[in-house]
Amino acid sequence: MEILVCVKRVPMVGGKVVVTPDGQDVDTRMSGFTVSPHEECAVEEAVRITGRLGGTVTVLTLGSPEAADQLRDMLALGAGHGVLLETDGREWGPIATAAAIAAAVRRRAAGPAGPYDLLLFGNEAADTGDYQVPVRVAHALGLPCVTGIKNLQITESGGAAGSEAAAAAGAGAVGRAGAGAAAVGGAGAGAAAAAVAGAGAGAAAVGGAGAGAGAGAGAVSVAGAGAASVAGAVGVARASREYRGSTEVFDLVLPAVISVREGINLPRYPSLPGRLRAKRAVIERFQPEYRGEGLRKQLLRVPAGQTRRAEVLGTGADAVPALVRLFEEFGVLS
């Protein structure tokens, strides 16, 4: 099982967020960097899957040369390979980011290593929180996609259980939803509007031809003819999530794109051998061409927070009457 996990270098902000004087960036001079919590869980999930089924985990990030530090952090958790799509430090939007990731996946598939069987993402980045990249990558590659997953089971197609599950998924048993609205999908045919809406609302995914528009609330779309063929499937993913009090379950023929949420597992702490191995690991580096998206950032603004003021009620016995009145206001005293 060959798994790609995409992560992002984000500021480790534990206190007040400060914006640079020009209003264009978050001031990170006094903060460290990490990966988004959702993505750390995605790496942990991938390591667990390959530990059970065999295979390797590759972690990929798009960012400045310093982002290699975050790749090494993930290698220390058990990932086997690191790929850095190196940029000049400019912030790439979700459209350009997804295009660069899709190109890297295609490049890998055309090489001797072969394609990835599963692409895992965090549900959203901790800084921008735009929810778009997994769905856009799936749409670009023509792969089925589900988002917001809190439980994931992978079955290889070689066994009887895997063949049975693959046949069920190929026959159109794409999802078993409680009351959810979800279209799960065929290859590369989902409407862009459906993809963006699915990403923003945490809804499921990219549909087959016309499925994105045809699936209404409470409906589950059957995968289109462009979906991965059952005969060539490497396995089946059963993914589930909670939605408005019910559980939605999706069966997807691999390869597929899945984004997971924090809480799907508890990430391990890196071991000392893992840290030493990660320090020596060679990071593959590529320089994708920057593509503008036609969007321009105007200004970042930190919302005004609520201010609280402490009031001294008194000292010693003189404060007792004021304290009693305060208890009465809170309804503590009857």
Side-chain angles (χ1 to χ4, degrees):
M1 183 67 62
E2 297 297 312
I3 303 178
L4 175 70
V5 186
C6 296
V7 302
K8 183 181 181 183
R9 173 182 167 95
V10 297
M12 189 187 298
V13 179
K16 183 179 179 180
V17 177
V18 179
V19 175
T20 54
D22 61 2
Q24 293 299 306
D25 291 292
V26 175
D27 191 342
T28 59
R29 290 176 297 176
M30 301 301 292
S31 64
F33 288 86
T34 184
V35 301
S36 300
H38 298 296
E39 295 163 355
E40 188 176 6
C41 289
V43 173
E44 173 67 24
E45 194 69 19
V47 171
R48 293 186 184 187
I49 292 170
T50 55
R52 182 171 59 88
L53 301 178
T56 58
V57 177
T58 300
V59 287
L60 177 148
T61 191
L62 182 145
S64 62
E66 293 77 14
D69 294 340
Q70 279 62 56
L71 289 179
R72 295 192 189 278
D73 290 342
M74 298 301 100
L75 292 174
L77 295 180
H81 305 289
V83 177
L84 173 60
L85 304 181
E86 192 173 320
T87 70
D88 58 3
R90 281 183 292 183
E91 181 72 21
W92 288 39
I95 299 174
T97 299
I101 294 173
V105 173
R106 293 191 190 100
R107 180 170 55 244
R108 152 80 183 226
Y116 293 110
D117 303 317
L118 176 64
L119 277 64
L120 288 180
F121 292 78
N123 201 53
E124 75 268 7
D127 51 357
T128 55
D130 50 28
Y131 300 84
Q132 297 185 35
V133 174
V135 177
R136 290 186 181 277
V137 170
H139 182 67
L141 296 174
L143 297 177
C145 172
V146 289
T147 65
I149 296 305
K150 291 294 288 286
N151 185 275
L152 179 61
Q153 301 174 19
I154 303 295
T155 305
E156 288 187 304
S157 59
S163 300
E164 190 175 313
V174 180
R176 300 175 182 84
V184 179
V196 174
V206 181
V220 179
S221 171
V222 176
S229 65
V230 175
V234 296
V236 169
R238 172 160 291 186
S240 62
R241 66 185 182 189
E242 299 299 319
Y243 181 74
R244 293 186 178 179
S246 61
T247 300
E248 297 179 336
V249 181
F250 304 91
D251 288 338
L252 295 90
V253 177
L254 300 182
V257 176
I258 297 175
S259 73
V260 303
R261 295 183 62 86
E262 184 182 11
I264 190 174
N265 54 48
L266 182 62
R268 69 194 68 189
Y269 288 102
S271 63
L272 179 59
R275 289 184 182 276
L276 295 175
R277 184 179 61 251
K279 189 175 181 179
R280 297 191 300 266
V282 176
I283 304 293
E284 290 186 78
R285 296 172 184 261
F286 300 93
Q287 285 78 35
E289 181 182 355
Y290 177 77
R291 300 178 183 178
E293 300 183 358
L295 302 175
R296 186 168 61 89
K297 184 192 302 179
Q298 290 282 44
L299 191 69
L300 293 179
R301 181 177 59 86
V302 179
Q306 293 183 347
T307 58
R308 296 185 178 182
R309 186 177 57 183
E311 181 181 350
V312 178
L313 298 178
T315 58
D318 296 337
V320 172
L323 184 60
V324 171
R325 288 195 299 271
L326 188 63
F327 284 161
E328 290 176 344
E329 292 178 8
F330 288 159
V332 176
L333 301 179
S334 57

